[in-house]
Amino acid sequence: MAFEISTDKTPAGDQPKAIESLVNGINTGEQHQVLLGVTGSGKTFTGANVIQQIQKPTLVIAHNKTLAAQLAQEYRDFFPNNAVHYFVSYYDYYQPEAYMPTSDTYIEKEAQINEEIDRLRHASTQALLTREDVIIVASVSCIYGLGAPAEYLKKHLKIEKGFQTTRTEMLRTLVDMYFERTTADLNPGQFRAVGNTVEIMPTNERVIYRLGFSGPAIGSITKIDGVTREVIGEPEVFFLFPAKHFVTPEDERKVAMQDIKLELDEQLAKFKEEGKLLEAERLKRRTEHDLALIREVGYCNGIENYSRHFDRRKPGEAPYTLLSYFPHKEDGTPDFLTIIDESHVTVPQLNGMYAGDRSRKDTLVEHGFRLPSAVDNRPLRFAEFEERVGQIIYTTATPGKYELKKIADAGLEPVEQIIRPTGLVDPKIDMRPVTGTTEYPGQIKDFITEAEETIKRGARVLVTTLTKQMAEDLTDFLEEKNIKTKYIHSDVETIERIEILTDFRKGIFDCLVGVNLLREGLDLPEVELVAILDADKSGFLRSETALIQTIGRAARNVDGRVILYADEMTEALEYAVGETNRRRELQLAYNKEHKITPKTIAKEIKSIADQMRTQHDETVDELLRVDIELYKKNPKKFLKEKRRQMEEAVSLLDFETAAVIRDEIKYFEKL
């Protein structure tokens, strides 16, 4: 199917111009483009329109799971008839294997896998191998090792009515595809045999395929809802992929085990030559134990550390990743679009993954906990990532040096999306000195005067400091001046931070003091005044990016303004002030020409903390009161239906509802 946006929304403001420019760049073969879009300008909608016009599979990379989930939902809303999938790390909890020589402490790997996210990962890879209209929204998990797509695809099975196979042969085939046999309720990646039928639940969807055998062939195929057991249909054919991404043929597995043994012998000889007898004994015992498990059951804990041998890769060669599943041209070059969201954060994150992983692995190898080949179970180096992605669009309000250099080398400028469809403009900026004089009271007293006048109008005030101690001291000082104030910094717990922000929006207090947590992601339309103390102090907290992000906190209010306290004009200040004023002039001119009167965003005040603490518990309690009678009538049927509702909520990325239903299920299961 073709990509087709399904919405009444039409491009507005700078969006039409940005879409045209980005599409032209892609069609003329530009590898790197930057979409410089201010907060609230609709960068995701612009991206969706680009995808619709170029008609290419697309990878969208976000810097955390929450943002990825939001983006996936937005793209699903835009493309309800296309394949939009969510690919993030499937660990709910992950403690990597590590060794600390200074204290002689070995930490075993601990992990708790989220089966639902694992299912979504399988749905992503299977969509890429079977469809062309695919958008994958991923975290940096996309650069970590995954099984070889060729082997994964080779192992898949086309099952259709009349397919020549017996029930016994089908059971052997399923085991060979890493499916597990069970006699209980089916979960993804499991099958069961009942009489002359075989029921299979694939890894990518919560449905059951029931195969009815008629002699040496499949006589019928029935598709059944995995929870309600309702018949969905009777397809003539369906495709079944392996239950695991890491697929190794039996003959290659034997060769891999021989290679592991050879590597072990070489490393043991090296350790003995160096006099590392403890390390040699440790490595010998562990590796031989792992080989015995692989030989007998085909698996061992930490088997991914031997992935280079199973993948038949050379030392140092990059692992297969999600990028390997995207389409490539005949010459091997990538044939898909990559959108890196909030690139000023995401690019450094992608760049930093390899070094941290390598440092930990080198320590394990040096002290005999792992073979040297373990270092090749790794994320991609940044240069390898660059080679494996298609044409890239970086979206951000504050492009980093990397993105800007890439487009400058190609003779390009950022594609600007400055005009917001809402008509809101960037805030006014006023610069004032830090140091007091006989005529001027200095930054603190001046700020207090401005804050009092702003609060009298019913608006809120943000002020940023350079240190936690200064934030706390300023809060105490403002309280003494009868300005209701609270502070927020990294020592304040997550739940408490959310409660403080909610109370701030509600007007329970009027002034919020912070350090760097106020730079990104705060949507506070009640804020009219943002004050940046000591704005001329060089460093991370007063960099060009940090200043522009902080100034942007006042861009949600029609009367938004910013005071920068500085005794000298640094390069970062000069850029931030100049760029903000440039954007503001463009926005004002556009509003005047199109007779637009901007209004402060009206946003409902919701307490996320209440949802996380009390509302969640209250909702669960209310459901328990309502559902107890239904549970008593038919517990098994009731729990199946609840599981179906939970899976449906997860498929919509509505994790809060899913969590409520999950806790209700846990309560009834204890009964």
Side-chain angles (χ1 to χ4, degrees):
M1 294 179 65
F3 286 109
E4 185 177 353
I5 293 176
S6 178
T7 179
D8 295 335
K9 192 176 176 183
T10 55
D14 272 348
Q15 289 172 344
K17 183 178 65 176
I19 293 164
E20 181 182 2
S21 180
L22 292 169
V23 170
N24 287 341
I26 291 169
N27 290 337
T28 55
E30 297 295 349
Q31 179 66 20
H32 303 272
Q33 295 186 88
V34 171
L35 173 59
L36 194 163
V38 298
T39 304
S41 63
K43 294 187 287 291
T44 306
F45 186 52
T46 297
N49 277 274
V50 170
I51 293 170
Q52 178 178 247
Q53 291 197 33
I54 67 169
Q55 292 293 317
K56 280 190 175 184
T58 302
L59 170 65
V60 180
I61 307 178
H63 60 85
N64 63 53
K65 289 183 179 182
T66 304
L67 179 59
Q70 293 171 355
L71 288 170
Q73 190 56 58
E74 287 183 45
Y75 278 109
R76 283 182 179 178
D77 291 342
F78 291 139
F79 297 105
N81 300 316
N82 301 110
V84 179
H85 291 282
Y86 178 64
F87 187 98
V88 297
S89 168
Y90 55 25
Y91 294 118
D92 280 337
Y93 168 76
Y94 182 68
Q95 168 62 59
E97 181 183 32
Y99 177 67
M100 293 179 285
T102 52
S103 59
D104 189 26
T105 303
Y106 171 71
I107 303 170
E108 283 197 52
K109 172 186 168 183
E110 284 186 60
Q112 183 176 347
I113 291 177
N114 185 311
E115 291 183 359
E116 186 58 30
I117 292 180
D118 189 32
R119 184 183 71 77
L120 295 174
R121 286 164 65 93
H122 277 281
S124 298
T125 52
Q126 292 176 29
L128 285 170
L129 295 175
T130 57
R131 300 180 64 155
E132 295 181 351
D133 60 326
V134 182
I135 299 171
I136 307 293
V137 183
S139 65
V140 292
S141 175
C142 66
I143 67 169
Y144 279 77
L146 207 59
E151 293 298 335
Y152 186 68
L153 185 60
K154 190 190 302 180
K155 203 80 175 176
H156 91 289
L157 191 63
K158 180 182 179 182
I159 300 177
E160 57 187 332
K161 285 174 69 173
F163 183 71
Q164 295 293 305
T165 185
T166 65
R167 175 181 175 277
T168 304
E169 288 171 346
M170 176 56 69
L171 299 183
R172 288 200 189 102
T173 300
L174 290 170
V175 171
D176 193 42
M177 294 174 70
Y178 304 97
F179 280 79
E180 295 180 4
R181 186 169 183 173
T182 182
T183 56
D185 286 344
L186 289 174
N187 287 312
Q190 293 183 335
F191 71 94
R192 64 186 171 202
V194 183
N196 204 34
T197 65
V198 175
E199 294 184 339
I200 311 164
M201 182 174 284
T203 52
N204 65 320
E205 54 183 341
R206 284 277 183 178
V207 298
I208 296 169
Y209 287 98
R210 178 186 289 161
L211 311 182
F213 287 85
S214 178
I218 296 175
S220 64
I221 302 175
T222 308
K223 188 176 181 180
I224 303 168
D225 186 287
V227 178
T228 65
R229 305 288 296 182
E230 293 178 6
V231 174
I232 299 172
E234 296 184 358
E236 293 291 317
V237 63
F238 73 97
F239 290 89
L240 190 66
F241 280 80
K244 297 183 184 299
H245 279 114
F246 293 92
V247 177
T248 307
E250 181 61 31
D251 56 340
E252 290 188 13
R253 186 185 306 164
K254 290 178 180 178
V255 175
M257 291 176 66
Q258 292 172 4
D259 289 349
I260 293 169
K261 185 67 171 66
L262 284 173
E263 186 187 12
L264 172 63
D265 293 340
E266 290 174 4
Q267 188 69 359
L268 290 178
K270 179 175 178 291
F271 276 151
K272 287 173 183 175
E273 186 180 331
E274 295 171 351
K276 294 184 175 180
L277 301 182
L278 172 63
E279 288 83 352
E281 178 59 29
R282 179 186 287 153
L283 183 65
K284 182 174 184 291
R285 186 171 61 248
R286 158 167 282 199
T287 309
E288 288 181 346
H289 178 259
D290 286 350
L291 285 170
L293 282 173
I294 295 170
R295 189 180 302 111
E296 296 301 323
V297 299
Y299 180 81
C300 72
N301 285 331
I303 193 171
E304 64 275 7
N305 289 290
Y306 306 108
S307 61
R308 189 188 84 197
H309 295 293
F310 289 107
D311 290 344
R312 314 309 301 149
R313 287 183 282 129
K314 297 175 183 176
E317 190 176 346
Y320 296 106
T321 65
L322 177 69
L323 307 180
S324 310
Y325 287 74
F326 276 86
H328 292 70
K329 297 175 183 175
E330 290 185 5
D331 62 1
T333 57
D335 191 22
F336 61 95
L337 174 66
T338 301
I339 298 175
I340 301 183
D341 194 69
E342 300 294 352
S343 60
H344 65 285
V345 179
T346 309
V347 167
Q349 193 179 71
L350 289 165
N351 198 9
M353 292 295 103
Y354 172 78
D357 181 83
R358 181 60 187 259
S359 174
R360 180 174 57 82
K361 295 275 179 57
D362 283 344
T363 304
L364 289 167
V365 171
E366 181 186 349
H367 292 86
F369 290 95
R370 287 292 169 196
L371 290 171
S373 59
V375 300
D376 287 323
N377 166 46
R378 61 175 176 83
L380 295 175
R381 297 184 180 94
F382 192 67
E384 294 169 337
F385 167 77
E386 291 179 301
E387 293 168 359
R388 286 161 174 76
V389 290
Q391 293 171 290
I392 304 174
I393 296 175
Y394 306 93
T395 67
T396 175
T398 51
K401 292 180 180 177
Y402 170 85
E403 303 97 293
L404 292 175
K405 185 177 186 307
K406 284 293 183 184
I407 62 171
D409 289 346
L412 299 176
E413 294 287 335
V415 175
E416 293 192 335
Q417 194 164 289
I418 305 299
I419 309 301
R420 298 179 178 90
T422 58
L424 280 170
V425 300
D426 280 26
K428 296 177 185 175
I429 294 181
D430 187 4
M431 294 200 64
R432 300 181 186 180
V434 173
T435 310
T437 63
T438 52
E439 298 178 356
Y440 175 72
Q443 65 176 357
I444 300 298
K445 289 184 179 179
D446 183 77
F447 165 69
I448 290 173
T449 301
E450 292 292 338
E452 287 174 338
E453 291 178 2
T454 303
I455 292 166
K456 282 178 187 176
R457 294 193 292 271
R460 314 277 191 279
V461 178
L462 284 180
V463 55
T464 67
T465 65
L466 281 173
T467 66
K468 299 175 190 175
Q469 188 61 53
M470 187 177 176
E472 295 176 14
D473 292 344
L474 180 59
T475 299
D476 292 339
F477 187 70
L478 293 174
E479 283 284 343
E480 290 174 7
K481 299 295 181 182
N482 296 317
I483 297 175
K484 289 187 267 186
T485 309
K486 287 192 178 182
Y487 67 82
I488 186 171
H489 56 58
S490 58
D491 288 347
V492 179
E493 293 294 329
T494 302
I495 294 291
E496 188 179 351
R497 288 204 301 267
I498 296 168
E499 289 175 338
I500 289 170
L501 290 171
T502 303
D503 289 347
F504 182 52
R505 290 201 63 205
K506 288 178 178 177
I508 294 174
F509 66 96
D510 304 305
C511 180
L512 180 62
V513 184
V515 188
N516 68 331
L517 294 177
L518 303 180
R519 290 190 301 111
E520 297 160 13
L522 293 183
D523 189 0
L524 305 168
E526 296 79 14
V527 171
E528 182 183 304
L529 172 63
V530 171
I532 302 178
L533 304 182
D534 301 303
D536 54 355
K537 297 295 186 289
S538 298
F540 171 73
L541 296 176
R542 298 296 182 262
S543 65
E544 295 173 358
T545 298
L547 287 169
I548 288 177
Q549 293 283 355
T550 307
I551 289 168
R553 297 312 106 211
R556 299 282 184 175
N557 191 298
V558 71
D559 298 314
R561 61 195 182 98
V562 176
I563 301 177
L564 300 174
Y565 291 98
D567 286 333
E568 59 180 293
M569 182 64 88
T570 63
E571 286 185 15
L573 271 173
E574 191 171 342
Y575 175 82
V577 172
E579 178 64 11
T580 302
N581 287 337
R582 182 184 73 85
R583 295 177 185 181
R584 180 178 170 84
E585 287 172 11
L586 290 171
Q587 293 157 350
L588 289 170
Y590 183 89
N591 288 350
K592 183 177 180 181
E593 181 184 346
H594 294 85
K595 299 180 180 178
I596 295 173
T597 304
K599 294 181 181 178
T600 299
I601 292 174
K603 184 179 178 184
E604 184 183 355
I605 300 174
K606 294 182 179 178
S607 173
I608 303 171
D610 288 347
Q611 293 175 12
M612 296 175 72
R613 267 188 179 164
T614 58
Q615 186 179 342
H616 174 90
D617 296 334
E618 288 172 5
T619 305
V620 173
D621 290 343
E622 181 62 29
L623 279 174
L624 292 175
R625 283 194 293 271
V626 172
D627 289 343
I628 186 66
E629 295 304 322
L630 287 172
Y631 170 79
K632 288 177 180 177
K633 288 179 182 177
N634 191 330
K636 192 172 182 181
K637 182 179 179 182
F638 172 83
L639 287 173
K640 276 192 174 184
E641 172 58 21
K642 283 294 172 182
R643 290 191 188 99
R644 186 195 67 76
Q645 292 174 7
M646 181 176 68
E647 302 301 344
E648 184 179 353
V650 171
S651 69
L652 297 172
L653 305 182
D654 182 3
F655 296 117
E656 285 133 348
T657 300
V660 169
I661 301 172
R662 175 203 63 201
D663 289 351
E664 185 189 13
I665 290 171
K666 284 182 179 178
Y667 175 84
F668 282 120
E669 282 179 338
K670 287 179 181 177
L671 298 183

